Amino acid sequence: MITKYTVKRVKSGIPGFDDLIEGGFPSGTTVLVTGPTGSGKTTFGVQFVYKGAELYGEPGVIVTLEERAQDLRREMLAFGWDLEKYEKEGKLAIIDGVSAVVGLPSEEQYVLEGNLNAEDFLRYIYRVVKAIDAKRLVIDSIPSIAFRLRKENEIREVLLQLNTILLEMGVTSILTTEAPEPGRGRISRYGIEEYIARGVILLDFIEKEVELKRYLLIRKMRETKHSMKKYPFEINEEGVVVYPSGEVY
Amino acid sequence: MITKYTVKRVKSGIPGFDDLIEGGFPSGTTVLVTGPTGSGKTTFGVQFVYKGAELYGEPGVIVTLEERAQDLRREMLAFGWDLEKYEKEGKLAIIDGVSAVVGLPSEEQYVLEGNLNAEDFLRYIYRVVKAIDAKRLVIDSIPSIAFRLRKENEIREVLLQLNTILLEMGVTSILTTEAPEPGRGRISRYGIEEYIARGVILLDFIEKEVELKRYLLIRKMRETKHSMKKYPFEINEEGVVVYPSGEVY
Amino acid sequence: MITKYTVKRVKSGIPGFDDLIEGGFPSGTTVLVTGPTGSGKTTFGVQFVYKGAELYGEPGVIVTLEERAQDLRREMLAFGWDLEKYEKEGKLAIIDGVSAVVGLPSEEQYVLEGNLNAEDFLRYIYRVVKAIDAKRLVIDSIPSIAFRLRKENEIREVLLQLNTILLEMGVTSILTTEAPEPGRGRISRYGIEEYIARGVILLDFIEKEVELKRYLLIRKMRETKHSMKKYPFEINEEGVVVYPSGEVY
Amino acid sequence: MITKYTVKRVKSGIPGFDDLIEGGFPSGTTVLVTGPTGSGKTTFGVQFVYKGAELYGEPGVIVTLEERAQDLRREMLAFGWDLEKYEKEGKLAIIDGVSAVVGLPSEEQYVLEGNLNAEDFLRYIYRVVKAIDAKRLVIDSIPSIAFRLRKENEIREVLLQLNTILLEMGVTSILTTEAPEPGRGRISRYGIEEYIARGVILLDFIEKEVELKRYLLIRKMRETKHSMKKYPFEINEEGVVVYPSGEVY
Amino acid sequence: MITKYTVKRVKSGIPGFDDLIEGGFPSGTTVLVTGPTGSGKTTFGVQFVYKGAELYGEPGVIVTLEERAQDLRREMLAFGWDLEKYEKEGKLAIIDGVSAVVGLPSEEQYVLEGNLNAEDFLRYIYRVVKAIDAKRLVIDSIPSIAFRLRKENEIREVLLQLNTILLEMGVTSILTTEAPEPGRGRISRYGIEEYIARGVILLDFIEKEVELKRYLLIRKMRETKHSMKKYPFEINEEGVVVYPSGEVY
Amino acid sequence: MITKYTVKRVKSGIPGFDDLIEGGFPSGTTVLVTGPTGSGKTTFGVQFVYKGAELYGEPGVIVTLEERAQDLRREMLAFGWDLEKYEKEGKLAIIDGVSAVVGLPSEEQYVLEGNLNAEDFLRYIYRVVKAIDAKRLVIDSIPSIAFRLRKENEIREVLLQLNTILLEMGVTSILTTEAPEPGRGRISRYGIEEYIARGVILLDFIEKEVELKRYLLIRKMRETKHSMKKYPFEINEEGVVVYPSGEVY
């Protein structure tokens, strides 16, 4: 008889969330965070990396493909998160994936060039992860990868590569994607992201009378016994907060 | 411990609306206003720019891609808005994006040429914004941009560029788009506008018995704690008016 | 302080309808009349032009792209409308857009040729409007324009041109289109007609038990405070009649 | 004051049906009969032509594009309709549009060749109509025309030609088509047949508990004040019989 | 007055079924059997041919395009049907349409080659039918024909040919097809099979609480007055059994 | 009279499951396991092979196309399943179909090359099955096969080959696929997998208030009288466990 393998857990940094997944993400796993516009995907992802640096001393990388590093930094100040401070300490790195595309100059340390293929993209991320010995990573977002690489048809291949290489590197990662119609089961832009990722978290809204209420649902988490309930969450001045004992009514 | 960053707010000029978003739009943000036909998108966007000039002394630019400048001016007179007056004062500029396309001569000061690429389009807007030192901008509409630039496939790239450059210029902007089936979650023409924009406002109808009632719903507003309720609004002789304490029944 | 602009109104000639739109269509506006088969679009449009000549002395043009002028004339006799009489008086002109396409000879005064591009089409309409100094126009239908011009992909451009040029000419116009699934929000053939037009009227059916009931709904009317209720209407021996105080139950 | 035009009526030969349309079809009109498989479209169309010959002495033409003339003749014997008798009397002609396509020899008098363009097709029908001085015509079915002519893209043009030329010839006609999802408003194969035809009759099923019930609904009939109720009908040993005073429950 | 034609009936061999269709299929007709996966289409078709040989002494042909003849034989033994016995007696022939495609050798007497066009396919079936003087035929399935012939675009033509030639040969036939969404009216793979076939039988499931119940519904049967009720059926150790007096609740 | 053929049964190794299918899968059959993301498809398939080796002494092959062999091994340790142990004993083989695609080196014994056609793929599986005399096989997943072989258009052909060859080899197999919208009847990625496979098992979720509940439904199982109820199941520390006497409420 063998002893059961104990999965190493990585704290999410999202208050209330780790209770739902046996204490944290399985180390090295790649988790898809999906939802419609305004559901809090970017905040969730950045919080995971920021809190890693702030609370657990784990360096992390943020790949921002939808807004510039400087805009992201300013925006996160609203939650009191001073990304720059941890960047200076070498515990956080932001890869600016926007400036080159929109034709603006960038003074960032880490910048993606305008024309990039999948190999260059993966190699660059690999290099930055190694440079700061990162344990956490967020890429915001998959549709922007597809758009940047002009590889919508090969998105399955790119995701499979990302997923496997990140696991090989031991980096726990969050990838965001867009969910056009969660109510009808379409929980990702391309309809395949959720099958490739090892974990899937849906951030969505329920309409109650004439108000939208936020909820979080874990659709998949390998190596983890996870809840399958819809939990209420808020985005307040501290970022994303999940209520494991709350009810979505 | 750092002090939390305070977001600078820009008054919308829409009565009742600023109460829902902590006092105004975050300065420099790009907001998508979406909805089906007849929902009031053009009025909302023009009101934002006009009231900026009238009430807050902030110059603004209107890019009209669906009707000529002269038709827009006449139409807005129905709300008592005299665009021409502020144009003469150099506080308002209208870029006529229709005349050249339909082959009619234009005596406007600012006219888009018939054949335009994305770079020319962005450069022209940039030039006019600088010319009157504009703080506000409305572009009506995104589908018309796509049509004008013949770039439906690259709409994500154009929107990302617009979004980033406007933010860089510090211009608070409204872009309008068309929402084919809001009830089924399709709140934009191309299904991606809402993900690129930093704010999303849906203007829509609810059918009550045999009557349509207008409501407004804020789906996303970065750097802002916003309500997620459906609020009734009217388009009356003063333009768009939102009722923050009203109920959509 | 400026005096508010007063919109000049054009009587529709549809009993009961003008009460819903502040007395009539805004002069020079282009209105889309849409609905499924059998909803009364052609009758509505022809009535607008015919009653203009009969009751208000305003000359009008009918562009018929789905049946020949002679068939339309005979059909309208069922409502007691003698189109020919007003044609002889120079107060009405019918442009036959069918004969050439189907390869039948035509003895009509105004005939569209078989092979036509958008410019020819617009120029021909312009010429006939000028010839009788028309104030009213109906084009039946937009899908037939697209079919005739073989320009389904450029329908947005053609509509924008039509809309702007008709407004420039001061002709109040009705364009008809087909609504495949009004119940699901698809109220036009191409999904864009309603955004380009300045007014949108939906003629549709509600199923009551095992009977279809007609209703009319104004979805958009620029420069006009319009009702947003569903009103019952009939097509009887006098043509279209709307009941502003009726209920659709 | 002019006297209202009185529309000449053509008896349908369908018991109970003429009561719903002011006594019969308008002479020369083209009526679309549509419905899902097994709804009785072919029977309705053949009955119209057969009863014309049998009861009203009006010659008629049947264009059969889905089964051979000989199979149709045998099948109609089940209703006691002896097509051959009237063919011999010169009061009925069947155009066999199947044999050549399937590569079987045909001993029919009227046979469509295997490779046909729209002009040939229309000319052949014209010739047979003239040959027996036909007043009635049924073409079964439109999708088979499209398939035969390999003109799915130009079906609007072919239908417009058919519709106009038949009207010019004074032949009252029935065209059948397939309705994939009547419940969702898709009442024709190509989504355009119903707009081109001057009349539209839907034959469909309602599901009552675990049984399908037949009903007939007139969606459009130009020059006719028609009912818009769903009427029950049967296909019994006499053919199609409509119950104008029945209820579809 | 003529005597009504009496349709010759062919016993289906499905217990309980013939009661629903005036005693049997019309001789020579082609019937479509459609339904989702696991609904019993293959069993229904094979039973029709097997019972023809066993009970009525009528030779029959099975064209198997989804599994090899040997696998089909073994599978049918579960119902106690010994196909091989009747093959040896010359009363049953199985055409193996799979072995050549998958690249396995075949020791079958009747084998379809790997590369086949529509004419070869029809000719081969014709030859085997003649060889054993078959009165019954099943082809399992239409989508596999389309796949084999690489003729998805011309499936209407192939079906029309099959339908007509089989009728000419006097062979009563069953063709199977796949029904993706019967609940929404999509009862065949290509949306046209049901219009070409002379009879249509739907085998489907109703969900009752958390259990699926089988039902059979006759959607069309030419020359036959058929029930339009949903009847429960089972697949038990005797094959398909229909319960004409049962209720689907 | 012949004796009925008795189907040889293969134990699934899934507690509670064999009760639903007369004691086990028919030997040599190919079963499709389908469901949305997170439904337990991979676990079900691996458990089938692992338990074969552990409990029944039957060698088995796992073809992993979505994660590397080493990641799969680690993940399965969470259930206490030591794949490596049986690999060393020659009772289990894992074919790594990921490493070559993602460009990582592999020290695995069985590795699929990066560029593969359907014949190579089938031949490799055949070789490994023979090497360890495997009786069981799982391929995870069909969409990944399609992606690897770049044969989405020919997936029907590949599946037919797989299905037939595996049956010929006498290997009982599980293939997994993705079900985008099970609630609307779309239970497989390509809409054809379920028709080719000889058995179909759906693993899905029912939403109860705000919680998802797992259920299993057997949609098809040839040569087997199977239940058609939805059964609750869990994925706990022992793997998949089905509750044949449970209720899904």
Side-chain angles (χ1 to χ4, degrees), chain D residues 35-39 41-42 65-68 70-72 74-82 85 97-99 101-104 140-141 143-144 147-148 150 152 177-181 184 189-190 204-205 207 209-214 234-238, chain E residues 2-7 26-29 122 153-154 156-158 160-165 167-169 181 184-187 190-198 200 206 208 215 217-231 247-249:
Chain D
T37 190
S39 57
K41 301 179 297 291
T42 301
L65 294 158
E66 297 195 340
E67 54 187 333
R68 290 185 303 168
Q70 64 194 77
D71 298 330
L72 185 74
R74 201 200 61 236
E75 192 181 307
M76 292 302 142
L77 283 175
F79 301 115
W81 303 341
D82 185 0
K85 176 183 163 208
V98 170
S99 295
V101 179
V102 303
L104 287 174
D140 185 33
S141 65
S144 291
F147 153 63
R148 282 298 307 274
R150 306 187 184 284
E152 294 221 359
T177 197
E178 303 160 358
E181 295 179 285
R184 291 181 60 207
R189 171 62 66 185
Y190 303 103
D204 196 9
F205 302 95
E207 193 170 335
E209 287 166 13
V210 291
E211 187 160 6
L212 301 186
K213 300 278 188 187
R214 297 181 188 278
E234 279 186 8
I235 302 179
N236 61 26
E237 59 276 10
E238 308 292 334
Chain E
I2 65 162
T3 315
K4 286 206 187 179
Y5 173 82
T6 305
V7 179
S27 175
T29 214
L122 292 168
N153 297 329
E154 299 171 24
R156 187 182 273 268
E157 181 168 0
V158 174
L160 182 60
Q161 286 178 325
L162 250 178
N163 206 34
T164 311
I165 289 167
L167 189 59
E168 172 76 13
M169 293 168 70
E181 296 179 284
R184 291 182 60 207
R186 297 187 53 205
I187 60 170
Y190 304 104
I192 58 171
E193 298 95 310
E194 67 268 40
Y195 293 100
I196 306 297
R198 301 173 70 86
V200 176
I206 280 180
K208 294 293 176 189
Y215 75 86
L217 174 64
I218 301 163
R219 289 297 308 265
K220 174 160 92 172
M221 194 64 69
R222 296 210 163 184
E223 305 178 79
T224 305
K225 219 180 145 178
H226 62 84
S227 166
M228 290 194 299
K229 259 184 76 175
K230 294 181 175 178
Y231 290 97
E247 297 288 344
V248 182
Y249 284 124

Side-chain angles (χ1 to χ4, degrees), chain C residues 58 63 72 88 97 100 106 119-120 124 127 171 199 201-202:
Chain C
E58 294 185 2
V63 185
L72 186 74
K88 285 179 183 150
S106 174
E119 283 66 37
D120 295 338
Y124 195 90
R127 200 162 67 76
V171 183
I201 298 168
L202 175 65

Side-chain angles (χ1 to χ4, degrees), chain C residues 18-88:
Chain C
D18 293 344
D19 295 357
L20 312 177
I21 51 168
E22 299 190 75
F25 296 119
S27 176
T29 213
T30 302
V31 174
L32 189 77
V33 172
T34 186
T37 189
S39 58
K41 301 180 295 293
T42 302
T43 305
F44 192 105
V46 171
Q47 188 169 347
F48 167 69
V49 169
Y50 181 81
K51 292 294 174 181
E54 187 190 51
L55 303 179
Y56 311 109
E58 294 185 2
V61 172
I62 298 168
V63 185
T64 176
L65 294 158
E66 297 194 342
E67 53 187 333
R68 289 185 302 168
Q70 64 194 77
D71 298 330
L72 186 74
R73 273 187 211 104
R74 201 200 62 236
E75 192 181 308
M76 292 303 141
L77 284 175
F79 301 115
W81 301 341
D82 185 0
L83 302 184
E84 205 167 359
K85 177 184 162 205
Y86 292 102
E87 289 180 83
K88 285 179 183 150

Side-chain angles (χ1 to χ4, degrees), chain B residues 56-125:
Chain B
Y56 310 110
E58 295 185 3
V61 171
I62 298 168
V63 185
T64 177
L65 294 157
E66 297 194 340
E67 53 187 333
R68 289 185 303 169
Q70 65 194 78
D71 298 329
L72 185 74
R73 273 187 210 104
R74 201 200 60 236
E75 193 181 309
M76 291 303 141
L77 283 176
F79 301 115
W81 302 342
D82 185 0
L83 303 184
E84 206 167 357
K85 177 184 161 205
Y86 292 103
E87 290 180 83
K88 284 179 184 149
E89 296 179 10
K91 280 157 77 181
L92 206 146
I94 306 181
I95 301 179
D96 180 341
V98 170
S99 295
V101 179
V102 303
L104 287 174
S106 175
E107 300 182 356
E108 297 292 327
Q109 185 174 3
Y110 304 112
V111 182
L112 286 178
E113 285 171 37
N115 287 310
L116 224 60
N117 59 32
E119 283 66 37
D120 295 337
F121 176 71
L122 292 168
R123 202 173 294 134
Y124 195 90
I125 289 173

Side-chain angles (χ1 to χ4, degrees), chain D residues 120-153:
Chain D
D120 295 338
F121 177 71
L122 292 168
R123 202 173 292 135
Y124 195 90
I125 290 174
Y126 182 91
R127 199 162 67 77
V128 179
V129 164
K130 286 297 169 205
I132 68 164
D133 192 25
K135 301 297 180 218
R136 297 173 180 230
L137 172 76
V138 61
I139 303 180
D140 185 33
S141 65
I142 290 174
S144 291
I145 299 174
F147 153 63
R148 282 298 307 274
L149 304 180
R150 306 187 184 284
K151 288 238 173 186
E152 294 221 359
N153 299 330

Side-chain angles (χ1 to χ4, degrees), chain B residues 10-68:
Chain B
V10 175
K11 298 283 181 199
S12 68
I14 314 289
F17 181 70
D18 293 343
D19 295 358
L20 312 178
I21 51 168
E22 298 190 73
F25 296 119
S27 176
T29 212
T30 302
V31 174
L32 189 76
V33 172
T34 186
T37 191
S39 58
K41 302 180 293 293
T42 301
T43 305
F44 192 106
V46 171
Q47 187 169 348
F48 167 68
V49 169
Y50 181 81
K51 292 295 174 181
E54 188 191 52
L55 302 179
Y56 310 110
E58 295 185 3
V61 171
I62 298 168
V63 185
T64 177
L65 294 157
E66 297 194 340
E67 53 187 333
R68 289 185 303 169

Side-chain angles (χ1 to χ4, degrees), chain A residues 94 97 99 140:
Chain A
I94 306 180
S99 295
D140 185 34

